[in-house]
Structures are given as structure tokens and as C-alpha cells.
Amino acid sequence: QVQLMESGGGLVQAGGSLRLSCAASGSISSRNAMGWYHQAPGKERERIATIFTGGVTTYAHSVEGRFTISRGNAENTVYLQMNSLTPEDTGVYYCNYRALSKPVDYWGQGTQVTVSS
């Protein structure tokens, strides 16, 4: 089992920045992918950024150039730096973990981000 704890959401004006954090604990695999998903009000959850052990990153087109995903020194913490936020970025952000050898998804509880215009 893997537990994920997110933090860092809040209310910000358009054009502003926020940094989300996600700490993973439990049975962490040495080869894994951690990522962030965004669920806008009334819409499905969408993957926006992923980072693999080793540092490879991928982004959705909607956030590329504005958001940066990174890992902490301990590798079990993931950050999402969000810049140039727009009202369309409003929603709940979920941290995700998946071991590469066992494709089971683990989710955090979600953190709310609200961007005012």
C-alpha cells in the first residue's frame, strides 16, 4: 500500500503562482511514476504532469511551459510549480503514484485550487 498526502492548494488571482506538494509513504517502489491530475468542476480527471524515477517528465499541452513537476531529494516527494495561472486551472488537483512493475494507481485526497479572474 502507498499513501499520498497533498498540500499547497488555495486561492490565487489570475497570473499568480502556487506550488503543490505530495508526499508518498508506504511500499514505495524504486521504479515508479508520480504525477498530478486536474479535475475541473463538472469535468473528468485529466493527467497534467508525470515524473518518472530518473527524472523524465511529461506534460499535458494545456500546462506545458507554465507548470513544472519535480521530485524532492528523498524521491518520494513530488512538487508541482504552477505559474501564470488562469481561471481554467481551477479545480481539484490529485497526486498519483504507480509502480512501473505493478500498474496499480494510488491517489491522494486532492487539494483545491481556485484561480480568480
Side-chain angles (χ1 to χ4, degrees):
Q1 291 288 327
V2 174
Q3 295 79 42
L4 302 172
M5 181 64 68
E6 301 128 331
S7 61
L11 174 64
V12 64
Q13 288 189 330
S17 299
L18 279 176
R19 189 192 196 204
L20 306 183
S21 299
C22 174
S25 61
S27 301
I28 307 298
S29 169
S30 60
R31 296 178 66 245
N32 64 67
M34 294 186 70
W36 290 95
Y37 284 66
H38 171 227
Q39 187 164 20
K43 296 188 177 181
E44 293 187 355
R45 198 175 297 188
E46 174 193 31
R47 184 196 67 83
I48 56 172
T50 302
I51 185 166
F52 296 85
T53 47
V56 173
T57 58
T58 63
Y59 296 94
H61 290 309
S62 59
V63 306
E64 201 156 18
R66 300 188 300 124
F67 291 11
T68 303
I69 189 170
S70 62
R71 287 186 185 255
N73 291 334
E75 289 279 333
N76 64 336
T77 301
V78 172
Y79 304 100
L80 186 68
Q81 178 66 43
M82 305 188 293
N83 299 329
S84 303
L85 286 160
T86 73
E88 288 70 35
D89 296 317
T90 292
V92 180
Y93 285 74
Y94 295 92
C95 181
N96 171 267
Y97 167 93
R98 177 185 286 199
L100 299 186
S101 61
K102 187 177 181 182
V104 174
D105 286 311
Y106 293 90
W107 298 94
Q109 80 284 358
T111 185
Q112 175 70 41
V113 171
T114 302
V115 184
S116 63
S117 58

